[in-house]
Amino acid sequence: MTGSHRSLVATALVLVITLCSTFLVTQCAGDVARFDLTANNLFTLSDGTKQIIDGLQKPLTMQLYYSKSLVDRSGQDRLRELNNYYVYVRDLLRSYERYGKGKLKLEEYDPRGFSEAEQEADRLGVNRFPGGEDEGLYFGMAVTSEAGAKQVVKVFDAMRQSQVEYQVSEAIELATARKKTKVGVLSSLDVTGGNMTPMMRQMMQMQGQRVPEPWGNFEALQQSSYEVTDVKADAETIDAEFDYLVVVHPKNLADKTLFAIDQFVMRGGKLIAFVDPAALVADPAPSNPQNPYGGSDHDSSSNLDKLFAAWGARVQPGKFAGDLDLAQLQPTRRGGRQPMIGLLALGGADGAGVGDAVPIAKGVDSKIVVCFAGTVERTDAAVDGVELTPILTTTAAGNAFTADRFELTGMGGPDAEKLLAKFQPGVAPVTIAARLHGKLKSAFPEGLAKSDVEDGEKPKDGEQPKEGETPKPDDADSKTNLKECAEPNTVLVFADVDMLADSFSFQRFGPGLLYPASGNPAVFRNAIDYLAGSPALMSIRSRGNFDRRFGKVDQIEREADKATREQVSRINADKERFQQELQSLQSQANEQNVGLLRNDLKQKSDELQKQIREKERELFKVQREKSEAIESLGSRLRWLNVLGVPLVVLLVGAALWFVNVQKRLATKGGAA
Amino acid sequence: MSATTAVFKREFRGYFGTPLAYVFLVAFLATAAFMPFSQSFFEIRDASLRLFFASLPSLFAFFAPAVAMRMWAEERRTGTIELLLTLPVTIKQAVLGKFLAGWAFFGIALLLTSSMVFTVSYLGDPDLGPIFTGYVGAFLLAGAYLAIGAFFSALTKNQVIAFVLGAAACALFVWVGSPAVTKFVEGSESGAISRFVSNFLGSMSFLTHYDPMQQGMLALGHVVAILGTTVGFLCATVLLLTETKSR
């Protein structure tokens, strides 16, 4: 062998050794000595998780299923990200295993077609997605114990990376729970999708029947192995077995049902109530093409006023929480975008509107969105020993405003401009959700009149009770009547129902694939965990992606809007006046005088139409100026980075070159 | 002053002694800023440099061999390599000095992209952790690409060939772990060997090690993997040049 060959062989050998070493390092040290530099420690086990692992009494096994070979053979580059995500999940689970020191064991499986691993994944209930001809794509895990308990994370959704730790920790905690947590759901809307099992749902679909969809928040609750049970909106009793009762949008509940809820709370049951002066999204008016304005007849409000009053709180009808600083920009009826004063985004990175004392919304990283929420206030006759602690509020500049049904549900939805004109900034925060805590007293201290128990119907407004139906103390059902809680109890009141609806909570990417679209799902589940006293899970769930939007752009939009608001209102008012004049002019023209007035009317009509067009042009110009401010910022920054910085480098280079040339010439001159 | 430092200084000054360095910097900075803006950086309104960092591996695959191609090929073509090797400088020192000069040059190029950091900080409130680790990852990646480029530059006298081979190798190291490549290598067969092969190729890919850094995670394994490849190619360059010297 010549020296040249020896050198080439040695070079090749060095490269092979390098590549093999890289492989070994990746396999052995891929997840050691890791430094997580993200602001919210996405890659580090949280204290909540450590607390859950510390509390494990018996060892658990985590079975991770990922069809890596199928992904590798798929030939699709976009799936490379799935491989990276798998590595992230695997490394996180290895961190669990390391921290568990024998309490947690990780087993990894690559389910191939017709393999035992595939059968096991199917048996455990890990989601199977269409993959190859004979293979399915799996990416989920199961937590099993020797005693036979199991909890499944059906799928690790790549869009929910910030939720992985919560999913895993929750599965571990539930796998060790002695019994399932029972949640009763009482609602005037179908929020649980008829409480059907997936099998029933599938059968109905196969039969071509319409399957009611559960709201994402309740579907996610069911997926997490809570036992969710529907409670009828006219129930006379609430099962004492329920760990929680969630009341959503209670519309005109009969006294017997209110009494049942009241007694559930008096017995020490945990209540979370979502009421709303106008649930515009969750309970919209039925559409009627024949009567487009008919929506204003629909009552979308709900309340538990009788119970709240006994507990020293109230949510007043027709009164809403508004805040210019938190209002979301929405397209207006006349084009352009304006702040919708009742559509508020709270919390997020700056924590605006999040109460510190009750850690339900605190620390939720994503924005919490409420839509025309009511206000939770103390009643004038405050109840001794019952505290009202805010969970969600407006900022100090927020205020309550009133709006009638037509302003909110007229054709095209709420009128942003009109509502904005009504709003007056305040000086103190307005409470949107609150915790009531203390020795709560019954709203039915004398029990429930027998007539109500028998009739089950609440007398309608203005209707006098029939003779013999007047509730009397001696007529009361005293069997179950508790006058107050034996121990201090807690009730959570949210004056917004829409925040639970899918529109403000989730994006769906197929059956069972829910992606939180806001911080609302975290608040809902935190509320349940808060009452359960599970701070560990709460602390994990609240972690997530901060909403890191371009605040500067939002600020420009707001300022531009503020600057042009008066102008836009004036133009719109002028336009409306011209339109009314035109309508009245046209109504004057009947068959008799049409000939007489023709010329005069036509002239005036043309004149008015011209003025309306002129106003529309003005409006368009104002709106265009608003969007131009943002476009020009984008354009400036683009050119600054793409051309500005290189140009500076070029100029510096040219200057240095010039200095060098001068120096050289000077040196030559000196030498000469 | 050690010989490595002397070579480093000579090379580093050499970059800025010609207009080539400025042309390179201008082209790199303009492209690096253009890529995220062309992918709706402003319209997405997300205060992060995700799009910027994601485009860097492809950019480096082009620019690093462009910087590295003249490192040794030019010296070999003009014959100055013989002169260099007669000086009291070992080949190791020469390779290291030249490499460090190129790497420092890339460091400056990356530093100049900090206008993107100011831009995103002006527009919003970015998480600075992933930006920092993203820059660390990008700097390591630039070093690895440069070492690959230097190796191919030492392999041939022709700069163009050195550039083409270097760019191809860099591209290979970016995409080697992608499913398209593993499918090509494995065919439709699946088994223990093919799984090993795909795992092996996956660990070769720079993206496997760079992606977690973009997201804010610095792991010793990933850093060592990229640095190991860099050191491996530098050693291979030393061996190649030793053979040249002995001839």
Side-chain angles (χ1 to χ4, degrees):
Chain A
M1 195 184 275
T2 63
S4 166
H5 284 133
R6 267 203 307 276
S7 182
L8 280 175
V9 169
T11 306
L13 205 63
V14 163
L15 289 180
V16 169
I17 291 169
T18 302
L19 298 182
C20 291
S21 314
T22 308
F23 173 67
L24 286 175
V25 164
T26 309
Q27 295 300 308
C28 304
D31 61 339
V32 295
R34 292 151 38 115
F35 301 96
D36 181 357
L37 297 179
T38 56
N40 39 352
N41 294 321
L42 268 182
F43 299 89
T44 311
L45 291 188
S46 66
D47 289 343
T49 292
K50 289 176 182 170
Q51 212 176 316
I52 289 170
I53 299 174
D54 289 340
L56 288 178
Q57 303 291 324
K58 289 179 180 169
L60 295 173
T61 305
M62 300 180 290
Q63 295 173 316
L64 175 63
Y65 292 89
Y66 177 61
S67 307
K68 187 161 189 313
S69 51
L70 178 69
V71 172
D72 286 343
R73 280 184 286 116
S74 70
Q76 293 177 34
D77 276 336
R78 67 186 172 83
L79 289 179
R80 184 181 63 79
E81 285 180 15
L82 196 60
N83 269 344
N84 287 345
Y85 184 47
Y86 155 71
V87 171
Y88 166 74
V89 173
R90 188 200 61 193
D91 289 351
L92 191 72
L93 293 181
R94 285 182 183 173
S95 305
Y96 273 77
E97 190 181 32
R98 262 200 313 278
Y99 186 81
K101 295 188 181 77
K103 286 181 185 173
L104 284 167
K105 187 181 158 203
L106 176 64
E107 291 175 0
E108 294 173 44
Y109 297 98
D110 182 359
R112 318 294 292 272
F114 309 111
S115 66
E116 274 182 34
E118 187 188 46
Q119 285 175 11
E120 189 63 9
D122 285 337
R123 192 185 66 77
L124 288 165
V126 176
N127 274 8
R128 177 193 171 107
F129 297 94
E133 279 177 19
D134 303 319
E135 283 185 66
L137 175 63
Y138 297 85
F139 189 17
M141 71 168 273
V143 179
T144 56
S145 72
E146 285 170 4
K150 68 152 193 175
Q151 280 301 320
V152 183
V153 176
K154 291 181 176 175
V155 62
F156 286 114
D157 181 354
M159 295 182 76
R160 296 176 62 188
Q161 184 163 355
S162 60
Q163 309 276 315
V164 172
E165 189 189 355
Y166 175 74
Q167 285 181 295
V168 175
S169 297
E170 188 194 34
I172 291 171
E173 177 152 288
L174 291 174
T176 54
R178 285 187 193 148
K179 67 179 185 74
K180 279 188 172 182
T181 307
K182 289 187 176 179
V183 181
V185 179
L186 187 152
S187 178
S188 301
L189 304 170
D190 182 9
V191 296
T192 57
N195 219 17
M196 283 189 290
T197 60
M199 181 70 84
M200 284 163 69
R201 215 172 278 283
Q202 208 173 352
M203 280 172 65
M204 281 180 72
Q205 269 169 349
M206 283 164 69
Q207 288 166 3
Q209 295 181 44
R210 196 191 143 270
V211 185
E213 280 285 328
W215 286 15
N217 277 302
F218 293 93
E219 192 178 339
L221 208 59
Q222 285 162 335
Q223 283 175 3
S224 308
S225 305
Y226 282 85
E227 196 176 311
V228 179
T229 309
D230 262 343
V231 178
K232 286 188 176 168
D234 59 354
E236 289 181 23
T237 54
I238 307 289
D239 194 342
E241 288 288 300
F242 289 138
D243 296 292
Y244 313 100
L245 179 67
V246 182
V247 176
V248 183
H249 203 44
K251 288 175 82 170
N252 305 319
L253 293 191
D255 270 0
K256 61 176 185 179
T257 310
L258 290 173
F259 179 66
I261 299 170
D262 175 86
Q263 290 301 297
F264 175 78
V265 175
M266 294 305 118
R267 288 195 302 268
K270 308 290 184 194
L271 171 68
I272 307 173
F274 289 87
V275 297
D276 204 325
L280 301 179
V281 175
D283 183 17
S287 60
N288 180 3
Q290 304 298 321
N291 181 14
Y293 292 94
S296 54
D297 296 337
H298 176 72
D299 180 11
S300 60
S301 71
S302 59
N303 216 327
L304 289 175
D305 44 358
K306 199 165 187 173
L307 303 187
F308 293 159
W311 302 333
R314 69 178 170 203
V315 177
Q316 285 184 289
K319 193 172 176 184
F320 301 90
D323 193 326
L324 253 179
D325 292 342
L326 304 176
Q328 298 295 285
L329 296 170
Q330 290 285 298
T332 63
R333 292 179 186 185
R334 299 171 187 88
R337 278 153 60 90
Q338 279 226 330
M340 183 66 86
I341 198 68
L343 182 61
L344 311 178
L346 319 167
D350 56 1
V354 167
D356 281 341
V358 186
I360 288 176
K362 194 182 172 188
V364 172
D365 294 341
S366 308
K367 290 279 185 190
I368 301 156
V369 185
V370 296
C371 176
F372 287 91
T375 61
V376 186
E377 304 163 9
R378 282 181 184 282
T379 49
D380 301 330
V383 176
D384 284 345
V386 179
E387 294 167 12
L388 188 150
T389 317
I391 299 170
L392 293 173
T393 65
T394 63
T395 64
N399 204 351
F401 66 96
T402 54
D404 60 37
R405 240 186 258 175
F406 189 78
E407 283 171 304
L408 299 175
T409 57
M411 202 166 69
D415 189 331
E417 286 166 39
K418 276 192 179 167
L419 292 171
L420 199 59
K422 288 178 85 167
F423 180 76
Q424 291 297 320
V427 288
V430 173
T431 304
I432 294 167
R435 178 193 71 170
L436 303 177
H437 180 76
K439 275 205 157 190
L440 303 172
K441 290 188 170 52
S442 171
F444 299 86
E446 307 299 335
L448 187 66
K450 274 183 182 170
S451 55
D452 278 341
V453 179
E454 284 154 13
D455 280 7
E457 289 299 323
K458 192 179 180 179
K460 291 189 176 90
D461 290 343
E463 195 179 301
Q464 291 300 314
K466 287 174 193 168
E467 206 180 329
E469 284 185 356
T470 313
K472 292 173 191 168
D474 58 352
D475 203 19
D477 179 4
S478 58
K479 275 190 295 183
T480 55
N481 186 22
L482 294 171
K483 291 185 178 174
E484 69 171 5
C485 298
E487 297 290 330
N489 199 0
T490 302
V491 169
L492 304 179
V493 181
F494 290 81
D496 190 35
V497 170
D498 295 318
M499 68 180 292
L500 282 187
D502 282 3
S503 314
F504 295 114
S505 286
F506 287 102
Q507 279 180 294
R508 281 179 186 273
F509 292 93
L513 289 181
L514 296 163
Y515 174 64
S518 66
N520 297 10
V523 169
F524 177 55
R525 296 293 292 278
N526 277 355
I528 289 177
D529 283 343
Y530 174 75
L531 292 181
S534 302
L537 275 178
M538 276 172 66
S539 70
I540 308 165
R541 184 186 305 110
S542 300
R543 293 169 49 159
N545 289 325
F546 278 115
D547 190 6
R548 294 184 185 275
R549 282 174 55 79
F550 286 169
K552 186 75 189 172
V553 178
D554 289 348
Q555 189 194 336
I556 291 172
E557 263 185 339
R558 275 180 208 290
E559 280 169 6
D561 178 73
K562 213 171 174 180
T564 56
R565 195 175 303 147
E566 270 183 31
Q567 206 181 349
V568 170
S569 300
R570 191 174 38 76
I571 295 169
N572 279 324
D574 286 350
K575 199 176 129 187
E576 263 176 39
R577 188 163 48 81
F578 292 142
Q579 277 169 337
Q580 277 168 5
E581 272 181 46
L582 186 64
Q583 273 172 6
S584 88
L585 209 63
Q586 284 167 344
S587 65
Q588 287 169 21
N590 53 38
E591 282 182 14
Q592 283 77 34
N593 62 12
V594 69
L596 268 170
L597 296 174
R598 184 174 289 151
N599 288 337
D600 191 28
L601 273 177
K602 192 171 182 317
Q603 205 178 346
K604 274 189 177 176
S605 167
D606 287 350
E607 183 70 20
L608 284 170
Q609 276 173 351
K610 200 175 151 192
Q611 281 171 318
I612 290 170
R613 277 199 298 275
E614 184 60 35
K615 290 295 162 192
E616 278 171 351
R617 265 198 295 275
E618 267 183 55
L619 194 65
F620 178 77
K621 203 177 149 196
V622 171
Q623 282 157 356
R624 182 75 207 135
E625 277 167 11
K626 271 162 69 176
S627 57
E628 266 173 6
I630 294 164
E631 281 169 22
S632 101
L633 173 71
S635 184
R636 276 201 311 271
L637 290 173
R638 184 169 52 243
W639 291 122
L640 183 76
N641 282 286
V642 176
L643 283 185
V645 177
L647 200 66
V648 170
V649 171
L650 207 61
L651 289 175
V652 169
L656 286 175
W657 175 80
F658 182 74
V659 169
N660 278 338
V661 169
Q662 290 296 315
K663 268 186 190 170
R664 246 180 275 158
L665 286 176
T667 317
K668 272 186 189 172
Chain B
M1 188 169 59
S2 74
T4 306
T5 318
V7 176
F8 170 82
K9 281 190 172 172
R10 171 186 171 260
E11 280 295 310
F12 193 68
R13 278 199 203 118
Y15 280 117
F16 293 98
T18 63
L20 203 68
Y22 296 101
V23 171
F24 168 86
L25 279 178
V26 166
F28 175 75
L29 292 174
T31 323
F34 173 77
M35 296 285 267
F37 275 102
S38 70
Q39 293 170 61
S40 307
F41 163 75
F42 190 76
E43 288 73 18
I44 292 170
R45 298 190 183 183
D46 175 28
S48 78
L49 287 184
R50 199 169 39 86
L51 292 172
F52 167 72
F53 285 120
S55 64
L56 286 184
S58 313
L59 279 186
F60 284 154
F62 176 81
F63 282 101
V67 169
M69 67 184 184
R70 55 182 284 279
M71 248 182 215
W72 296 106
E74 179 73 359
E75 302 259 18
R76 288 182 67 172
R77 191 181 63 81
T78 55
T80 49
I81 192 164
E82 273 78 21
L83 185 67
L84 179 70
L85 297 179
T86 53
L87 295 173
V89 178
T90 64
I91 291 177
K92 263 188 230 164
Q93 288 167 330
V95 168
L96 195 61
K98 275 176 173 274
F99 166 76
L100 288 177
W103 207 12
F105 179 65
F106 261 101
I108 287 173
L110 277 174
L111 208 62
L112 290 171
T113 62
S114 56
S115 64
M116 286 298 291
V117 183
F118 292 119
T119 300
V120 84
S121 302
Y122 170 73
L123 288 169
D125 175 27
D127 185 353
L128 294 175
I131 292 180
F132 172 73
T133 52
Y135 269 110
V136 170
F139 186 56
L140 290 174
L141 210 60
Y145 282 155
L146 210 58
I148 294 171
F151 171 78
F152 285 101
S153 176
L155 202 64
T156 171
K157 287 180 184 172
N158 189 319
Q159 284 194 42
V160 177
I161 293 174
F163 170 74
V164 172
L165 289 176
C170 289
L172 193 69
F173 271 93
V174 175
W175 299 113
V176 70
S178 68
V181 177
T182 48
K183 186 190 180 189
F184 176 75
V185 173
E186 287 183 52
S188 59
E189 289 305 309
S190 53
I193 295 174
S194 60
R195 215 173 313 158
F196 173 80
V197 170
S198 67
N199 275 345
F200 185 81
L201 293 177
S203 71
M204 292 297 101
S205 171
F206 284 151
L207 293 185
T208 304
H209 309 295
Y210 175 65
D211 280 349
M213 293 191 208
Q214 278 190 71
Q215 293 173 23
M217 164 64 71
L218 262 187
L220 182 70
H222 295 309
V223 173
V224 169
I226 299 180
L227 277 179
T229 310
T230 311
V231 172
F233 272 95
L234 288 179
C235 290
T237 310
V238 171
L239 281 173
L240 273 182
L241 291 172
T242 311
E243 185 262 333
T244 309
K245 191 181 180 182
S246 64
R247 263 192 284 169

